Amino acid sequence: MKNIIITILIILPFHLFGQTPDDTVGIKLFNRGLEFYKKGNLDSTLIIWTKIVDNKIGIHSDIYGNAFFNIPTIYWQIKNYDKARDWYRKILASDLKDNDETGSLMDPHTNYKHKAAVALAGLYQLDSNYTEVLQWLEKADTLYRYWGFEGSASNVSKRQAYLLAWKAEVLQNLNKPEEAIRLIITELICSDKLENFFKASEDVLIKLVDKTPFKPKFDNAINQLEIKKLDNGNWVASFSLDRLVYNIPISNVYPDKNLPHYWTIYFIDKNSIPDKQNIINYIQNRNFYKRLIK
């Protein structure tokens, strides 16, 4: 995760249904800024795209959002990191919606706020401010969830795996390997059929633990796990290991289809009730657990 790359967004809405005169003005302005960008005249690009944002020109299309997100990206490119941070925060405070669709087959959801939170994590990583990095990654993984591609489990799962690996690396940089272990194990328990997407983090886990003493400690911990009901259809399975509490969210209610579909939750059959032994058996059947035995 050491090389954080935030790319300029140059996708234009070639098919604008219900296009307004304001959209037309926005397209012309955006393209003019883009031409300056291609010529390396970034000051002029920033002036034009800032005008689009300040006056909310083309707000009915993705022109407004693209200009908004590109501004801090340019400031990053010219190493004006303070301005970049300020503008990424403006995106987070804006009325942009991550679940808006641009109409492009390559990136149907905008994810502007998610990308802004990830970008802020990247900016703080440049200063090795790992506490801030972790905070922004947590927000990118919770408050500003990644929407990804419509109907693409692979797309969202790859992003989740990317965030997990980055967070685990940051925790190690903060000299908190036990918390990195907890983070990875929790995700691997909840990943169910998506387990293979997290292979890289699973490898990190196996390197972080000394299997000989760790496995019996882990076995003892999960054998003492407790299940607590939170509300109708939701529970948490908790166990303690190396002075840390592991909380595994459990639910028999799947997220609404209009929400990002990947959540760090262990889902059980609809209307069923979690059983302690079944959960222990499930954990012991996970690939990371089998690797602890080898």
Side-chain angles (χ1 to χ4, degrees), residues 148-282:
F149 291 79
E150 183 68 32
S152 173
S154 295
N155 179 259
V156 179
S157 300
K158 287 177 181 178
R159 172 53 61 123
Q160 190 71 15
Y162 170 78
L163 292 174
L164 172 64
W166 191 354
K167 285 192 286 184
E169 180 183 279
V170 171
L171 286 169
Q172 292 174 75
N173 288 329
L174 289 169
N175 197 29
K176 297 180 178 180
E178 290 84 6
E179 292 190 24
I181 291 168
R182 177 176 61 178
L183 179 73
I184 295 171
I185 287 179
T186 300
E187 194 84 51
L188 291 175
I189 289 173
C190 296
S191 62
D192 197 19
K193 297 178 182 178
L194 303 174
E195 189 176 28
N196 288 336
F197 283 99
F198 303 94
K199 178 65 165 57
S201 290
E202 182 184 298
D203 291 342
V204 171
L205 170 67
I206 298 303
K207 291 178 181 178
L208 284 175
V209 302
D210 183 344
K211 291 192 288 186
T212 301
F214 183 81
K215 183 183 176 298
K217 286 194 302 182
F218 185 74
D219 282 338
N220 182 61
I222 61 176
N223 282 324
Q224 296 184 51
L225 70 79
E226 296 181 351
I227 300 173
K228 302 175 183 178
K229 186 170 184 177
L230 301 178
D231 54 41
N232 189 31
N234 293 285
W235 300 260
V236 62
S238 298
F239 59 89
S240 296
L241 178 64
D242 290 332
R243 301 178 302 280
L244 294 177
V245 176
Y246 286 58
N247 288 315
I248 311 299
I250 303 172
S251 181
N252 64 17
V253 181
Y254 281 71
D256 186 276
K257 66 179 180 179
N258 295 318
L259 295 175
H261 79 271
Y262 188 93
W263 299 89
T264 307
I265 297 173
Y266 170 46
F267 289 105
I268 57 178
D269 291 338
K270 186 176 180 180
N271 298 324
S272 63
I273 297 174
D275 175 81
K276 176 178 176 177
Q277 191 57 52
N278 286 345
I279 293 174
I280 293 173
N281 293 342
Y282 167 80

Side-chain angles (χ1 to χ4, degrees), residues 17-184:
F17 299 101
Q19 182 176 320
T20 69
D22 190 48
D23 294 333
T24 303
V25 172
I27 292 171
K28 290 180 180 179
L29 277 175
F30 188 92
N31 285 340
R32 190 185 306 166
L34 189 58
E35 288 303 313
F36 280 123
Y37 177 81
K38 291 176 179 177
K39 294 175 182 178
N41 190 343
L42 302 185
D43 287 341
S44 295
T45 301
L46 287 169
I47 290 171
I48 292 171
W49 285 351
T50 300
K51 180 179 179 180
I52 291 175
V53 175
D54 287 346
N55 295 286
K56 294 193 174 184
I57 298 171
I59 198 168
H60 303 292
S61 69
D62 57 343
I63 285 295
Y64 171 72
N66 279 359
F68 208 153
F69 188 82
N70 285 344
I71 291 169
T73 304
I74 290 177
Y75 279 123
W76 185 328
Q77 290 176 338
I78 63 178
K79 298 184 178 181
N80 189 335
Y81 300 134
D82 288 339
K83 278 280 191 179
R85 289 189 188 99
D86 288 344
W87 273 92
Y88 283 128
R89 286 192 173 93
K90 287 181 181 180
I91 290 172
L92 296 177
S94 73
D95 54 1
L96 290 171
K97 295 179 175 61
D98 276 8
N99 61 323
D100 280 347
E101 294 193 34
T102 65
S104 165
L105 293 177
M106 296 303 294
D107 196 5
H109 290 302
T110 58
N111 295 300
Y112 292 129
K113 292 187 177 182
H114 172 82
K115 291 176 181 176
V118 171
L120 283 166
L123 284 167
Y124 281 108
Q125 180 139 323
L126 294 176
D127 300 327
S128 298
N129 188 341
Y130 296 116
T131 299
E132 282 282 352
V133 174
L134 190 60
Q135 289 177 2
W136 284 109
L137 289 177
E138 287 294 339
K139 290 180 180 180
D141 199 19
T142 54
L143 187 59
Y144 310 111
R145 294 284 304 189
Y146 181 65
W147 282 77
F149 291 79
E150 183 68 32
S152 173
S154 295
N155 179 259
V156 179
S157 300
K158 287 177 181 178
R159 172 53 61 123
Q160 190 71 15
Y162 170 78
L163 292 174
L164 172 64
W166 191 354
K167 285 192 286 184
E169 180 183 279
V170 171
L171 286 169
Q172 292 174 75
N173 288 329
L174 289 169
N175 197 29
K176 297 180 178 180
E178 290 84 6
E179 292 190 24
I181 291 168
R182 177 176 61 178
L183 179 73
I184 295 171

